[in-house]
Amino acid sequence: MPLFDALSFRKTVYASGGCHSDALRPGIILSEDEHELLLDCVRCGFCLASCPAFAQTLDEADSPRGRLHLLRALFEGRINLTETLLKHFDVCLACRACQAVCPSGVRYGFLIELVRARLERMGYGVTRHSPLLRMLIKWVFPYRRRFNAFVSFVEMVRKIGLVKLASQLADNIAFTDRLRKWLQVEGMLPRERQRNAFYDGRSVIPPKGKRRMRVGFLLGCASDVLLKSVNEASVKVLAHLGCEVVIPNGQTCCGAIAMHVGFEEDAKRFARRNIEVFEKLGLDAIVTNAAGCGAAMKEYSQWLRDDELFSERAFKFSSLVRDFSELVCELPFSETMKPLLMRVTYDDPCHLLHAQGIREQPRKLIAAIPSIEFVELEESDICCGGAGIYGLLFSENSMWLLERKLERIRESGADVVVTANIGCQLQLQYGVRCYGLNVKVMHIAELLALSYEIGR
Ligand code: SF4
Ligand code: SF4
């Protein structure tokens, strides 16, 4: 028996099912076809060094190889589904760093989403750790009006000093977990936000000069509510470079967060809605400035592969999806750039780098700005701990990664850290605020808008 089996895995089996100490129920949660996918893993271990969850515990069961092995044992009925076992699946960030380095092409991202959806149906979804977050993810975050109302409420509570008071109480007396969670959600929200965007009330933004492309633009939930400035900069840059930008009113959440936590049917419902809304617009591309949304929309064809009405339409939709930096690189982006005197580094969003394979385009755009000093960020390929709602569900694990990231940013000596995903931007801004780092966090669209002198 290989060392891996003998030491770590066996330990996990005994801890999570073999001794039945916390056994929930036997769990065969995959079909035969899905089980086949697990067999692609040859247990080489190349993925271990790239896994941020494994880096924290050094427990094989928290590694991609370990989880795949546990899944296989679970499917084959050799172990039971236990709370201990569930936790090993829960703490996976679904960052897909393992998938990007796997020489056997194991579809880890697909498998972890599949498992989460099955567990959710069985009542063991990852959101069971927090009823509050479950409610927010299901009923608030994907709906821009409700999300906006929720954030306005939190801002009002903050303004009248209740957040400060609650934080002081939390430091001094035993506080309920639910209230701590509220404080944590509040802490992640930006301190100031732009309320109106120049495109409000208009669904088509004309290009500057000759029209090169007609593109649809996904507003996104977090971007539209929390960082409107990023959407505004994205639309202005696209129009500046010759795109006619269409922002259809009926669009909805991309479904990424729902899929991420196992709300599979919700995610598919959002996907169908977006397909219906965008497909009639005669577009050359569908653009998003959020890596998580882009990765999800590129996978609609996979999500809806068994849907008779939508499978073909989903395929067409997915083939049009472009990340903002991916599309800008196809346009004459360097012609009108003005110099910016700053030292800039770039942090790769997991769902851009690992899920979409986009690494060079953002670097190319930054480096093209005259006078900018671009420095590579050590460990830029390791998750910042944001990972959708991971930071809210597992704050200790998330903070461990965030601190590590901030240390690398500090070492880079950069004045500005650029990212290409709203979730990462919020997480980095939160970190910079908490640790008092003198660094500005920007989305790549904001940096480009600054260089084109079209920002606010
Ligand atoms: S790199 Fe791929 S094949 Fe190797 S252990 Fe990891 S998942 Fe399995
Ligand atoms: S998705 Fe990320 S956290 Fe999960 S196993 Fe792969 S590398 Fe580790």
Side-chain angles (χ1 to χ4, degrees), residues 302-403:
Q302 187 178 289
W303 294 8
L304 300 172
R305 65 194 176 284
D306 298 325
D307 186 319
E308 264 183 41
L309 265 183
F310 277 88
S311 61
E312 210 172 301
R313 292 155 75 186
F315 182 80
K316 276 189 200 149
F317 180 97
S318 291
S319 65
L320 287 177
V321 177
R322 297 279 183 285
D323 177 70
F324 171 81
S325 57
E326 191 180 13
L327 187 86
V328 171
C329 266
E330 293 170 18
L331 299 165
F333 62 85
S334 59
E335 287 172 9
T336 52
M337 282 175 160
K338 299 284 184 307
L340 292 178
L341 273 172
M342 39 172 85
R343 187 177 165 97
V344 175
T345 194
Y346 174 74
D347 189 40
D348 287 286
C350 298
H351 279 82
L352 199 61
L353 179 66
H354 306 311
Q356 299 182 59
I358 296 176
R359 183 182 190 280
E360 296 311 323
Q361 292 91 327
R363 288 172 169 79
K364 204 168 149 185
L365 295 174
I366 298 169
I369 298 174
S371 304
I372 229 165
E373 187 189 352
F374 176 65
V375 281
E376 278 292 352
L377 182 67
E378 284 290 316
E379 298 183 352
S380 72
D381 56 343
I382 294 183
C383 183
C384 62
I389 45 92
Y390 188 87
L392 296 173
L393 278 171
F394 305 104
S395 50
E396 266 180 41
N397 307 39
S398 168
M399 287 311 282
W400 189 86
L401 287 166
L402 182 57
E403 279 177 32

Side-chain angles (χ1 to χ4, degrees), residues 40-47 65 68 102-104 106:
D40 290 340
C41 175
V42 294
R43 301 186 199 168
C44 64
F46 284 166
C47 53
R65 178 174 68 179
L68 290 165
C102 174
S104 296
V106 173

Side-chain angles (χ1 to χ4, degrees), residues 97-148:
C98 50
Q99 185 170 311
V101 297
C102 174
S104 296
V106 173
R107 295 171 63 195
Y108 186 89
F110 174 76
L111 282 164
I112 192 74
E113 283 179 355
L114 189 85
V115 168
R116 288 202 168 145
R118 300 287 154 81
L119 291 174
E120 169 62 28
R121 260 188 250 162
M122 294 162 75
Y124 306 133
V126 63
T127 57
R128 72 192 183 287
H129 295 289
S130 169
L132 168 70
L133 282 176
R134 185 180 172 83
M135 184 270 290
L136 289 175
I137 295 164
K138 200 154 181 71
W139 303 111
V140 179
F141 293 163
Y143 304 95
R144 294 200 301 277
R145 275 196 198 148
R146 291 181 207 170
F147 192 6
N148 193 43

